[in-house]
Amino acid sequence: MRIAIRRLVRNLVTMGQKASKSKSNYDYDHFPFFSDTDTIQTVKEAHTFFILRGLPGSGKSTFCTKFLATYPSSIACTVETAPVAERDESDGDWFAKVDEKIQQGLKDVKNIILVDDKHRSAQRLDYLAGLAKDNDYVVAVVTSVTKWEKPADSLERIIPYYFGWFLLRKSAQEMRRNAEDFLNLLTCNEVFSEEFKPNVEWHSEEEFNLQEYFQKKPSTLHCTTKFCNFGEAPGCESYACSEVVEQNYAKAFTLEVTALFVTPRTVGARVVLDKNQKLLWPREEASEGGRDSAEAELPLGSRSHITLACAPGIKAVQTGLDLLDILKLEKEGEKPEHQMEMEKGLLSCYGLGRWIVELTKPVEVKTLFSGFYPRKKLTTDLENN
Ligand code: 2AM
């Protein structure tokens, strides 16, 4: 009898679950940060600033509940988590409260911050994304919709400055350390110094110093997939709307860095993409914006890299072009002018100050695939200098 009752209760519970599931207007399983175990683990380790958009009735509160259940240590800066009495406050008060919570989250260095972007204005998004960037958080802009809608049906799509893989703080630190070691080793190498120095302009009285020369360093280490210029770059709409981008947005990826290179203009890390990562690489052939014919001649994704530093007056976009230049010489069977084993691996020089070291031990970096959104902060990064 007891067993029968227990079975009956269990069946009722299961039925209840099924009923409520099928009745739910929302389906969040397409978000990798809810369904992909590796992403959930990575988001917990990363510093991520989620900006939640959605019209009234689009299920933002259900989203928040699920989010907080998945990431119990996150802080949700949203009206849904405010006491009911506070929900009808004027916008000014509401924003002040949300902003106070955000500041608290940043002060407490919370790993995950979820912000309800209630008004969805471009200005507010810029403010939030800028705040996240200043505090070294990866931004993910997510839209809550009912099962029957697509995000584009309800809200205007936001196209970032660029899409790419953003390194977690720990991986970024490791890459920065690697770049520093690399430059230090080269500085001590006489063959390098003799070949490299005549290719650079050095106006200081001090002795030439690579660390001094490559002073411009990006604040956000990333591997760009598609440069969009906020919707102005060719092909960015179709890239942003593509299924592969939608499915992989805010998903974790481990990238493999196989080489470090330096030229008179840039310092970069070569990234070799696996087959799934290549799906996110834009398919268009040579197009505007520095993608020259060298890219079309090499296998898809050859340009993938992380910019580590630039010489004065050089924009970050140059790093990919410098890498393509070296890869093209390698492909054409060009014999290196110099070649030697160094601590990190085999170092080759292709003349005109172009040096690359193939790492004996490739470096794995943890990343999240997302976009770079703040407009106002651009002047502080490499691209505008
Ligand atoms: P990077 O990927 O070599 O670092 C913002 O400017 C980011 O987008 C930069 O980090 C930059 O280079 C990349 N970027 C800028 N302009 C670009 C362009 N025209 N084509 C491709 N990538 C570009």
Side-chain angles (χ1 to χ4, degrees), residues 68-308:
L68 288 171
T70 315
Y71 304 103
S73 65
S74 62
I75 178 163
C77 310
T78 146
V79 75
E80 275 78 15
T81 56
V84 176
E86 289 176 12
R87 295 186 192 178
D88 295 327
E89 286 178 356
S90 71
D91 278 357
D93 290 345
W94 189 88
F95 280 121
K97 284 223 166 70
V98 167
D99 286 352
E100 211 176 286
K101 262 190 136 183
I102 298 173
Q103 290 300 341
Q104 194 56 48
L106 294 171
K107 197 164 150 237
D108 296 344
V109 203
K110 285 278 185 185
N111 271 32
I112 309 161
I113 299 180
L114 171 68
V115 181
D116 179 359
D117 181 22
K118 188 184 172 200
H119 270 202
R120 309 172 294 272
S121 75
Q123 214 183 359
R124 177 78 179 158
L125 180 77
D126 190 36
Y127 166 74
L128 293 173
L131 207 56
K133 179 185 184 290
D134 287 348
N135 289 279
D136 200 14
Y137 280 73
V138 177
V139 172
V141 180
V142 292
T143 306
S144 169
V145 286
T146 58
K147 259 184 193 169
W148 304 279
E149 289 170 298
K150 287 196 89 196
D153 298 342
S154 58
L155 288 174
E156 195 193 333
R157 186 183 296 278
I158 295 185
I159 299 190
Y161 191 47
Y162 58 89
F163 282 100
W165 291 285
F166 292 81
L167 274 67
L168 267 59
R169 285 186 195 179
K170 221 169 142 192
S171 286
Q173 270 168 10
E174 193 185 346
M175 272 324 296
R176 287 197 174 101
R177 255 198 320 270
N178 263 300
E180 235 169 76
D181 285 356
F182 178 48
L183 295 187
N184 286 340
L185 285 169
L186 291 178
T187 301
C188 307
N189 186 313
E190 275 178 27
V191 183
F192 170 83
S193 294
E194 227 168 82
E195 195 281 335
F196 192 78
K197 274 194 231 167
N199 290 293
V200 298
E201 285 184 30
W202 180 251
H203 302 295
S204 164
E205 298 282 294
E206 308 273 314
E207 207 185 322
F208 179 73
N209 177 326
L210 276 178
Q211 302 281 5
E212 279 287 314
Y213 179 68
F214 287 113
Q215 262 183 28
K216 286 173 62 182
K217 302 203 168 101
S219 49
T220 313
L221 284 199
H222 64 274
C223 174
T224 310
T225 53
K226 174 76 187 163
F227 178 69
C228 298
N229 199 12
F230 300 115
E232 301 288 317
C236 64
E237 284 265 354
S238 56
Y239 181 81
C241 303
S242 64
E243 210 169 295
V244 67
V245 168
E246 283 189 358
Q247 283 170 354
N248 288 288
Y249 188 83
K251 185 172 178 181
F253 288 86
T254 300
L255 301 185
E256 192 176 61
V257 170
T258 62
L260 299 173
F261 57 94
V262 61
T263 75
R265 298 161 296 277
T266 58
V267 184
R270 181 183 184 200
V271 173
V272 172
L273 304 176
D274 69 20
K275 108 173 165 303
N276 286 330
Q277 293 159 359
K278 274 190 191 153
L279 297 174
L280 281 162
W281 198 257
R283 306 262 136 188
E284 80 253 33
E285 293 288 302
S287 67
E288 197 190 85
R291 293 188 180 237
D292 68 3
S293 54
E295 191 164 13
E297 286 170 29
L298 292 162
L300 185 84
S302 294
R303 181 181 174 148
S304 49
H305 68 278
I306 300 162
T307 296
L308 297 167

Side-chain angles (χ1 to χ4, degrees), residues 35-43 252-254 366:
S35 55
D36 177 52
T37 333
D38 183 38
T39 301
I40 294 173
Q41 190 49 42
T42 305
V43 168
F253 288 86
T254 300
K366 283 194 172 185

